[in-house]
Amino acid sequence: GEDVEQSLFLSVREGDSSVINCTYTDSSSTYLYWYKQEPGAGLQLLTYIFSNMDMKQDQRLTVLLNKKDKHLSLRIADTQTGDSAIYFCAEDGTTSGTYKYIFGTGTRLKVLA
Amino acid sequence: SQTIHQWPATLVQPVGSPLSLECTVEGTSNPNLYWYRQAAGRGLQLLFYSVGIGQISSEVPQNLSASRPQDRQFILSSKKLLLSDSGFYLCAWRASGGTGELFFGEGSRLTVL
């Protein structure tokens, strides 16, 4: 079945690095994503990685993908208070081209000043 | 540019009453459309997705239904609400091609009393 799992909470101090982990099940996904949700709002795409890549760096963000273990991680360098939000990983679950996106449970990141 | 509108933003409904949430997308044609629900303390649950007019795929058996009467209109309905239907409902769309990014509406918060 399809399941995407994340730890529920993460607390870090401002200036430290944050690492949010995710495990997924659908190996047919073309892309894997990280979305950010501010309180009371919809989700916005933070970054993504193509399934044939191992790593992607985008400014303070580093995405690591281990396809063998179906493990995805997001590292935020120099974490700021504005990074406090819920972070969701997602797989596009490409099946017959319908792109049935499955999201993880979300990790609530709290950044302490 | 593309935009997505979702309404109402907030509603409080009694148990057993009907529900209609509406979502429209502008600036694109033939998008894939999605309804998700985010319950308090839980992740994002895919409820329905649609690849075209009149084509609805249901992911979770429940008392909710969805319809797509026009290319860029997606409606979530219920004939009789349950307490467990309370949550934050998010509509999203995806354009064909590209990286498959989902674009989310601002959400509708439903409280069933």
Side-chain angles (χ1 to χ4, degrees):
Chain A
E2 300 145 342
D3 208 4
V4 181
E5 297 187 353
Q6 301 175 236
S7 52
L8 291 180
F9 299 100
L10 177 65
S11 180
V12 300
R13 294 202 174 276
E14 191 174 21
D16 289 349
S17 292
S18 308
V19 179
I20 302 171
N21 295 300
C22 170
T23 56
Y24 62 97
T25 57
D26 190 343
S27 59
S28 67
S29 293
T30 303
Y31 291 96
L32 294 122
Y33 309 86
W34 284 103
Y35 284 80
K36 179 182 180 181
Q37 184 184 32
E38 304 280 0
L43 280 69
Q44 288 191 312
L45 181 68
L46 201 58
T47 187
Y48 65 91
I49 188 167
F50 190 52
S51 58
N52 69 352
M53 296 172 64
D54 298 325
M55 185 182 82
K56 178 181 179 181
Q57 187 141 8
D58 183 1
Q59 299 180 340
R60 292 192 297 124
L61 306 177
T62 302
V63 179
L64 296 178
L65 174 60
N66 182 329
K67 287 195 73 175
K68 176 176 172 291
D69 295 336
K70 295 182 182 175
H71 183 264
L72 183 72
S73 69
L74 173 70
R75 178 177 180 269
I76 305 173
D78 187 24
T79 313
Q80 303 297 306
T81 53
D83 294 325
S84 292
I86 301 177
Y87 291 81
F88 291 90
C89 64
E91 54 180 351
D92 66 19
T94 307
T95 305
S96 302
T98 58
Y99 293 94
K100 189 175 70 173
Y101 290 81
I102 303 297
F103 283 78
T105 49
T107 299
R108 186 178 296 272
L109 174 64
K110 184 175 181 179
V111 182
L112 306 173
Chain B
S1 63
Q2 303 92 348
T3 56
I4 179 169
H5 301 285
Q6 189 179 338
W7 70 92
T10 307
L11 65 164
V12 180
Q13 296 282 102
V15 169
S17 64
L19 171 74
S20 181
L21 299 179
E22 191 160 342
C23 173
T24 59
V25 180
E26 296 177 359
T28 187
S29 59
N30 198 31
N32 284 7
L33 296 171
Y34 303 80
W35 276 112
Y36 288 89
R37 177 171 61 199
Q38 185 178 18
R42 299 180 65 180
L44 222 54
Q45 181 186 33
L46 177 61
L47 301 176
F48 301 95
Y49 67 99
S50 170
V51 299
I53 296 174
Q55 299 179 62
I56 309 293
S57 296
S58 174
E59 288 303 300
V60 182
Q62 56 206 326
N63 68 321
L64 299 173
S65 61
S67 62
R68 185 170 177 175
Q70 300 179 50
D71 181 43
R72 290 170 290 177
Q73 184 184 26
F74 206 21
I75 300 171
L76 183 70
S77 304
S78 174
K79 291 182 179 178
K80 289 186 178 182
L81 284 168
L82 306 173
L83 287 174
S84 58
D85 291 324
S86 292
F88 192 49
Y89 288 82
L90 289 161
C91 179
W93 72 274
R94 176 192 170 275
S96 57
T99 60
E101 178 181 357
L102 279 185
F103 297 90
F104 284 83
E106 287 302 305
S108 298
R109 184 163 301 282
L110 170 66
T111 303
V112 182
L113 302 176

